[in-house]
Amino acid sequence: MPRSKFGDIYRDLKYKIESGEYPYQSLVPSENTLVAVYSCSRNTVRRALAGLIEAGYVQAIQGKGVRVLYRPVPVARAPFTLGRMESFRETALRCRTSYQTRVVHFSMTQTDGAMAAASGFPPGADVYHVERVRIIDGRAMVLEVSYFLRSVVPTLTPEAAEQSIYAYLEKELGVQIMTSKRTITVERATPADRLYLDMGSYDCLAVVTNQAFNADGILFEYTVSHYHPEYFRFQDTASRRGKKAE
Amino acid sequence: MPRSKFGDIYRDLKYKIESGEYPYQSLVPSENTLVAVYSCSRNTVRRALAGLIEAGYVQAIQGKGVRVLYRPVPVARAPFTLGRMESFRETALRCRTSYQTRVVHFSMTQTDGAMAAASGFPPGADVYHVERVRIIDGRAMVLEVSYFLRSVVPTLTPEAAEQSIYAYLEKELGVQIMTSKRTITVERATPADRLYLDMGSYDCLAVVTNQAFNADGILFEYTVSHYHPEYFRFQDTASRRGKKAE
DNA sequence: GCCGATTTGTCCGTATGTATC
DNA sequence: CGATACATACGGACAAATCGG
C-alpha cells in the first residue's frame, strides 16, 4: 500500500543501501539523477533523502553529493534494539525470536495527584491499569506498567492485553498512536522487578517511560517499561544543520 | 545570525509555545495565516512546522490544525538531559551547574582489530586516546573514553581536552561534527568506573557510544561515555506518519 | 446525509544561492 | 571560470480529512 511517492522512493533507496548496492562511504546518485530515475520532482526526491538523513543512513554534503553512512550492525550485539516507534510484537518479529506476554495485573482505577503529575493525565481520570511481563526466548526481560485513558480506550480486556494491545486498539477501537514521547533513565531494580524478571546479580535496569498521543492530540497511554540490562539497546542519529539550526 | 527563513520561523514559534502564548492542547494559527504573518510561502511555513513536529512540540492533524503538545518539564526531575546534539559544556551551561573536566589519560596509539570493529575506524589508523572524567557540582558523574582520528585531528593536547574539545576542533582546526550516531545501553560498572566515579552502591551505569562524522562524511571520533545512573536522562519523540511510513 | 469552507498532505515546476571540483 | 550538486524559497494545483450548516 504505497501511500506516498516519496515514501516509495525512501524505501527503495533504503533497500538499495541495506543490500549494498550503495555501499558505505559511496555517493548515491545526485538529486537530478534520481528525479529522472523516479520520474518525479526534485522536491519529492529531497523529502525521501531527508528521511534517510534523519534515519542516519546518509549525509548530505553541499556541492558534493549524498554519502552513505549506513553499515550493517553486528547481529551478535543487537539482541533487542529500540529506536523506531514499534511495538514489542514488531520488535520480536524483527529479531526473529520467540516471544510471549504474561499479564500479571489488570484493573480499573482513577489517577491520583502524584500519578497525574507523572503521567500527564488529568487528575481523577478513569484509567485501565495493566502490568505485563515480556518474555523473549524463555527469559523474562521486560516489565511494563501501563495506564490507558478510558475516555479514549473504553473497553480493554486481559485477553487483548495478552496479545498486542496496539493491534487491538487500532483494529477494534480505531485508536492510533500519532506521537510518542519517550524518556530513558537507569534506575535501581524494585522488588517487583526482582519478582518478575531474571535479574541475576544486576541491581539496575533501563527504564523507558512513554507517553502516547492519539490522532486528536489526546494523551491516552502512559507506560513505564523496565528492561533487563542485557536486553536493552537504543539507537539514535543526530544531524547538525539542515533542520532547525537551533 | 539568522541563516534561513524557516529557521527563524521555527525559533519564533518555538518561543511562543515555550512562553505559553500557544498553550498546551491549543491550535497554532493555520498555515495560511502563518504565511501572511511571516510573509513567506506555505512551503517555508511547513518546513518550520516539520521541525516542531520532530521536536515533539506540536502534532499536525489533517483537516483540523496543528496542536501544541509541549509542556514545561518539572525541573526537579531533569538534572541532566540528553536528546539533542550538544556538548558536555553546553549541557552544563543549560542546566546552570558548575562543571569541571579532568583528563585522566592522554596518548597516541593505533587501532587494533577489535577496536576497529567496535569503533568503525579502519584498522591500524593513528588515533588519539583520551579519557576524561566529567564533574558536576563536585561529583564525578561521567567517564568518557574517546578516540580521535589523527588524519582529521592532526594535533590535540591535554590542555585542549581539559577545555571543550569541540570548541577546539571547530575554532582551531575547522572540524565540524555533521552527523552523529548514538547507541545507549546499560552495562555493569567496570573497575575503572569505580575508580573514577562515585558509584556508591550502584553496580550498573548508562553507556552511550557515539560515532561522529565530519563534513566530508569521515568517521573521526569514537567515544564511549559511562554515566552515573542518577545523572542520566534521555528524551526522544517519535511521529508515526508524515515522514517515511516504513 | 450532503455540501462547502477550512486545513493539512502531497506533488509539481521554477528560480536563486552556495559549496565543491 | 564553468559545471555540478545540494539548500532555500516561491508559486500553484489537487487530494484527503475535518467541521459546521
Side-chain angles (χ1 to χ4, degrees), chain A residues 9-202:
Chain A
I9 299 174
Y10 168 86
R11 282 184 291 273
D12 190 55
L13 290 174
K14 187 180 165 193
Y15 171 77
K16 288 193 164 80
I17 292 171
E18 287 171 346
S19 66
E21 185 168 337
Y22 301 144
Y24 180 65
Q25 286 293 334
S26 69
L27 297 179
V28 305
S30 78
E31 294 177 355
N32 286 325
T33 306
L34 294 176
V35 162
V37 169
Y38 294 107
S39 306
C40 66
S41 75
R42 211 171 85 96
N43 218 317
T44 304
V45 164
R46 282 182 62 73
R47 288 217 271 158
L49 290 175
L52 292 170
I53 291 171
E54 206 211 309
Y57 271 52
V58 299
Q59 170 188 32
I61 305 169
Q62 191 170 359
K64 284 177 83 169
V66 177
R67 194 182 306 274
V68 176
L69 295 184
Y70 170 88
R71 269 193 288 190
V73 199
V75 223
R77 281 296 296 160
F80 201 74
T81 299
L82 269 79
R84 308 179 292 185
M85 195 168 73
E86 62 182 7
S87 68
F88 171 77
R89 192 169 153 275
E90 291 166 331
T91 306
L93 288 175
R94 179 167 55 77
C95 298
R96 284 168 186 71
T97 51
S98 75
Y99 64 96
Q100 190 188 343
T101 300
R102 233 182 80 213
V103 178
V104 296
H105 176 93
F106 191 95
S107 67
M108 295 196 315
T109 178
Q110 288 189 333
T111 57
D112 60 18
M115 200 289 216
S119 64
F121 285 135
D126 290 315
V127 291
Y128 284 102
H129 173 192
V130 183
E131 301 195 4
R132 291 174 292 176
V133 176
R134 309 296 207 168
I135 300 164
I136 290 271
D137 290 332
R139 294 186 60 187
M141 59 172 264
V142 190
L143 173 61
E144 279 189 4
V145 179
S146 301
Y147 297 89
F148 295 90
L149 197 62
R150 288 196 55 206
S151 59
V152 174
V153 185
T155 60
L156 189 63
T157 63
E159 290 70 34
E162 193 107 13
Q163 309 301 319
S164 173
I165 281 197
Y166 295 128
Y168 171 78
L169 293 181
E170 195 156 342
K171 281 167 196 152
E172 303 300 320
L173 300 181
V175 177
Q176 251 193 338
I177 296 181
M178 289 299 287
T179 308
S180 161
K181 295 192 187 186
R182 221 168 5 191
T183 301
I184 300 174
T185 56
V186 175
E187 295 177 20
R188 229 181 267 279
T190 65
D193 295 327
R194 303 208 163 275
L195 177 60
Y196 292 119
L197 306 180
D198 299 329
M199 289 303 296
S201 63
Y202 285 102

Side-chain angles (χ1 to χ4, degrees), chain B residues 112-165:
Chain B
D112 61 18
M115 199 288 213
S119 65
F121 285 133
D126 290 315
V127 291
Y128 285 104
H129 174 189
V130 183
E131 302 194 5
R132 292 174 292 177
V133 176
R134 308 297 206 169
I135 300 164
I136 289 271
D137 290 333
R139 296 186 60 187
M141 60 173 264
V142 190
L143 173 61
E144 279 189 3
V145 179
S146 301
Y147 296 89
F148 296 90
L149 196 64
R150 288 196 55 207
S151 59
V152 174
V153 184
T155 61
L156 189 63
T157 63
E159 290 69 34
E162 193 108 16
Q163 310 300 319
S164 173
I165 281 196

Side-chain angles (χ1 to χ4, degrees), chain B residues 163-222:
Chain B
Q163 310 300 319
S164 173
I165 281 196
Y166 295 128
Y168 171 78
L169 292 181
E170 194 157 341
K171 278 166 197 153
E172 302 301 322
L173 300 182
V175 178
Q176 250 193 341
I177 295 182
M178 289 299 288
T179 308
S180 162
K181 293 192 188 187
R182 218 167 10 187
T183 301
I184 302 175
T185 56
V186 176
E187 294 177 21
R188 230 181 266 279
T190 66
D193 295 327
R194 303 208 164 275
L195 176 61
Y196 292 120
L197 306 181
D198 300 328
M199 289 302 297
S201 63
Y202 284 101
D203 79 339
C204 286
L205 28 69
V207 176
V208 180
T209 72
N210 195 66
Q211 293 176 308
F213 296 80
N214 72 358
D216 293 321
I218 296 178
L219 171 63
F220 75 98
E221 179 200 345
Y222 175 73

Side-chain angles (χ1 to χ4, degrees), chain B residues 3-241:
Chain B
R3 58 165 106 23
S4 69
K5 193 179 270 195
F6 75 82
D8 295 342
I9 300 175
Y10 169 87
R11 283 183 290 273
D12 190 56
L13 290 174
K14 187 180 166 193
Y15 172 78
K16 288 192 163 79
I17 291 170
E18 286 171 344
S19 66
E21 184 169 337
Y22 302 143
Y24 180 65
Q25 286 292 334
S26 69
L27 298 178
V28 305
S30 79
E31 293 177 357
N32 285 325
T33 307
L34 295 175
V35 162
V37 169
Y38 294 108
S39 306
C40 66
S41 74
R42 194 174 151 227
N43 222 318
T44 304
V45 164
R46 282 183 63 75
R47 289 176 69 189
L49 289 174
L52 292 170
I53 290 171
E54 206 211 308
Y57 271 54
V58 299
Q59 170 188 31
I61 306 170
Q62 190 170 2
K64 284 177 82 170
V66 177
R67 175 166 277 122
V68 176
L69 294 184
Y70 170 88
R71 272 194 287 190
V73 201
V75 225
R77 281 295 297 159
F80 201 73
T81 299
L82 269 79
R84 308 179 292 185
M85 196 167 71
E86 61 182 9
S87 68
F88 172 78
R89 191 167 156 277
E90 291 167 332
T91 306
L93 288 174
R94 179 166 55 77
C95 298
R96 285 168 184 72
T97 50
S98 75
Y99 64 97
Q100 191 186 340
T101 299
R102 234 182 80 212
V103 177
V104 296
H105 176 93
F106 190 96
S107 66
M108 293 195 317
T109 178
Q110 289 189 331
T111 55
D112 61 18
M115 199 288 213
S119 65
F121 285 133
D126 290 315
V127 291
Y128 285 104
H129 174 189
V130 183
E131 302 194 5
R132 292 174 292 177
V133 176
R134 308 297 206 169
I135 300 164
I136 289 271
D137 290 333
R139 296 186 60 187
M141 60 173 264
V142 190
L143 173 61
E144 279 189 3
V145 179
S146 301
Y147 296 89
F148 296 90
L149 196 64
R150 288 196 55 207
S151 59
V152 174
V153 184
T155 61
L156 189 63
T157 63
E159 290 69 34
E162 193 108 16
Q163 310 300 319
S164 173
I165 281 196
Y166 295 128
Y168 171 78
L169 292 181
E170 194 157 341
K171 278 166 197 153
E172 302 301 322
L173 300 182
V175 178
Q176 250 193 341
I177 295 182
M178 289 299 288
T179 308
S180 162
K181 293 192 188 187
R182 218 167 10 187
T183 301
I184 302 175
T185 56
V186 176
E187 294 177 21
R188 230 181 266 279
T190 66
D193 295 327
R194 303 208 164 275
L195 176 61
Y196 292 120
L197 306 181
D198 300 328
M199 289 302 297
S201 63
Y202 284 101
D203 79 339
C204 286
L205 28 69
V207 176
V208 180
T209 72
N210 195 66
Q211 293 176 308
F213 296 80
N214 72 358
D216 293 321
I218 296 178
L219 171 63
F220 75 98
E221 179 200 345
Y222 175 73
T223 292
V224 181
S225 303
H226 289 206
Y227 287 81
H228 189 289
E230 288 175 7
Y231 285 93
F232 178 78
R233 164 176 292 247
F234 178 89
Q235 282 187 344
D236 185 49
T237 303
S239 295
R240 186 131 205 174
R241 67 190 300 171

